Every structure is written in C-alpha cells, then in structure tokens.
Amino acid sequence: MITLLVVSLLLPWAAPALARRVPARCSPVAALWALTVSAVLLAGGSVAALGTLALTGLLRIPAFAALGELVHPLHTPSEQVVLPLAALAAGLLTLAVLALGLSLVRQAAGLRTARAAAGRQPAAGDLCVIDSPRPDAYALPGRPHRIVVTTAMLRSLDAGEREALFAHERAHNAGGHHYFLAVAELTAHCHPALRPVREAIRLAVERAADEAAAGSVGDRRLTARAIARAALATSGRQVPRPTVTPAATTGPVPQRVAALMAPARPTRRAVPWIAALLAACAALSCATAATGAVRVHEDIEIAQGETGG
C-alpha cells in the first residue's frame, strides 16, 4: 500500500522529459490537450497520494486513532517507516496548499487590475487600446473578452503585422486558452515535476494561437514577423501581468517563429507515441494513488472493526 503511494509520487518525475517533446511531435491543439489532461491526472494522483500518506501516519497516533474510532491498530509498516513518510507528506501537502492559495490570490488580483485598466478605456469591438510608452499586447479573459494593446505596441508594427497580432490574441480568447493556463498554474503547485509541464503547456498555448492566426491572415511569414517584432519591442520591458493572460510575446519566441516559417504540417490522425507515453504515465500515477487510497480505506474499516480482518 505504501509502495503504491510512493510510486504514484515518483511517476511525475518522468513527465518533464516527455512533456518537452510533445509540442514538437503533435499538432498544437492536440499537444495542448494531451499536456493539460496529463498534468491534471498527475497532480490529482500526487495530491491523493500525499493526503493518504499523511492520513496513514496520523492514524498511528493514539489521539487521532481514537478520533477515527479505530478499535484495532491500523495495519501498516513499522512506525519508523510510516511516521517519517507521513510527516514529509503532510509538510509537502501544506506547502502545496499555501503556494496554491497565494497563486490564486495573485492571479485574481492581477486580473482585477488588468480589467480595471481596460475598463477605463473606450473599446472598439473587442479591442482596447491603452496609451502607454511600453509596448504590450495580450488577451484578457472574462466577460466580455478583450484584446488589450498599448499605443507603443501599435507604433512598433505595420498594418499587416497588427492584424496578425490581433488575430493571435483573438485566437487565445476563442480557444479559451486562459483556462489551460490556469490549470497549468494550479497543477504546477501540486508537484515540483509539473513545473516544466507548465512551461510546455504555455508553449502549446502560444503555438495553437500562432497557427490559428496564420490561418486567419493567410500568411505564415507575416504572422512570424509580427510575433518576432512584437517580442523585440517588449524585450527587456516586459510588463508584469497574470500568467493566465496569454500574449504573443511570451514563451520561446525563436522556436515559435521557426515553426511558423516552416511549411504547415498535415494533420495526423494517429496519436504520437510520445503523447501516448505521457498519458500512460499520468494514468498509471493516478491509478496507483487510487489503489493505494482504496487499500488504506479498507485497512481503516478493518481497524474500526467493520469488516473481518
């Protein structure tokens, strides 16, 4: 039982190496879904395993065993093994909850500030122009969706490049990419190995918007040039904003520009093996955590005298 829970916590360490290769092997949208679903499964398995380990240790303490109405000792390995693991799991779970709470507060505050700034400006459809000497442009989630761009960014691009940039940001709003970014941010606090997966999700989000923008304007080179010039304009002058507000200037821009300069790849129907392997790793982590939790539950019932043991 303890072994299953530990295995569930070790499996996510295989995810970063797999996640980094998924965007290059899959279409952007397929990569985005594969990475996000895998991150959710890995985070869920990790939290379940940590919680179960912490509970197992607590129930070895007489006071908590009495609260749990245990009439027999809980069947676990020796206290020298269980209690240190349970203490470590409880500490990690507490840190994860605190980090998650702080992240939620920061993201919510950042979104309120961004929406307040956009709300003070007149909007032309979904476009909101802010007078600022700092080049910036991003998709602002909420109702209604907004594309926020500064006057400095508009001056940095020509007419065609501006249309490509707007198409990119509209693709973010149309694809609900802020939801994917929010999931990536939250899951990254559940296990250290999921932080590189968060970066892979961010890349997949931008690549999906890149391809959508290229299709909308009908010119891959124009889209690549718009993204490159926008990134150069903001170089060294990035404006702090919530991580759930996607922007064309984020992520590994040279890699994205190179992908746009290459011919569009035909859509693949088969699932690339790297995405399948990542999904299998995530499913296995979740399954081992669930199996371990079920076994702990059965042991608790036996210790409570509810079943024969």
Side-chain angles (χ1 to χ4, degrees):
M1 171 265 294
I2 298 295
T3 303
L4 286 172
L5 297 174
V6 172
V7 167
S8 179
L9 292 171
L10 292 177
L11 281 169
W13 290 106
L18 297 172
R20 280 191 290 267
R21 301 176 67 182
V22 168
R25 301 297 183 92
C26 304
S27 69
V29 174
L32 182 56
W33 278 102
L35 289 166
T36 306
V37 171
S38 296
V40 170
L41 291 176
L42 288 167
S46 298
V47 170
L50 288 173
T52 304
L53 279 172
L55 177 64
T56 302
L58 285 175
L59 292 177
R60 292 299 299 264
I61 300 173
F64 288 97
L67 286 174
E69 301 179 347
L70 303 189
V71 297
H72 304 294
L74 188 65
H75 178 68
T76 62
S78 66
E79 291 185 358
Q80 288 76 15
V81 174
V82 171
L83 292 183
L85 279 177
L88 179 61
L92 292 174
L93 196 57
T94 301
L95 288 175
V97 170
L98 290 175
L100 191 59
L102 288 173
S103 178
L104 286 172
V105 170
R106 285 196 301 266
Q107 297 300 320
L111 281 174
R112 284 196 300 270
T113 300
R115 290 205 65 82
R120 291 193 292 267
Q121 307 297 326
D126 63 347
L127 184 62
C128 177
V129 179
I130 295 178
D131 186 14
S132 172
R134 291 179 133 184
D136 197 20
Y138 55 91
L140 184 62
R143 290 289 182 269
H145 290 318
R146 287 279 185 261
I147 299 169
V148 180
V149 61
T150 64
T151 51
M153 178 62 83
L154 293 177
R155 288 192 296 268
S156 300
L157 308 175
D158 63 29
E161 292 164 350
R162 287 196 291 269
E163 287 304 313
L165 181 68
F166 298 158
H168 177 101
E169 304 304 350
R170 287 191 176 101
H172 280 314
N173 283 332
H177 290 166
H178 51 284
Y179 293 119
F180 293 95
L181 293 175
V183 170
E185 182 66 23
L186 297 180
T187 56
H189 296 294
C190 296
H191 195 291
L194 296 181
R195 292 169 189 167
V197 179
R198 172 179 58 187
E199 302 310 313
I201 292 174
R202 288 175 178 171
L203 171 59
V205 160
E206 294 306 325
R207 283 287 299 120
D210 290 344
E211 293 296 333
S216 176
V217 301
D219 191 332
R220 297 178 66 82
R221 288 182 174 272
L222 173 62
T223 306
R225 190 170 71 247
I227 291 168
R229 292 192 63 183
L232 285 173
T234 60
S235 179
R237 294 187 287 177
Q238 288 284 353
V239 180
R241 75 170 77 88
T243 57
V244 296
T245 53
T249 56
T250 58
V253 173
Q255 182 179 341
R256 292 166 50 206
V257 169
L260 282 169
M261 295 296 285
R265 292 184 299 179
T267 303
R268 298 177 180 176
R269 293 185 178 180
V271 178
W273 68 268
I274 196 72
L277 189 56
L278 177 62
C281 177
L284 183 59
S285 176
C286 213
T288 52
T291 303
V294 168
R295 291 188 181 179
V296 168
H297 177 70
E298 292 172 350
D299 289 341
I300 291 173
E301 287 187 334
I302 293 172
Q304 289 173 334
E306 297 182 10
T307 62

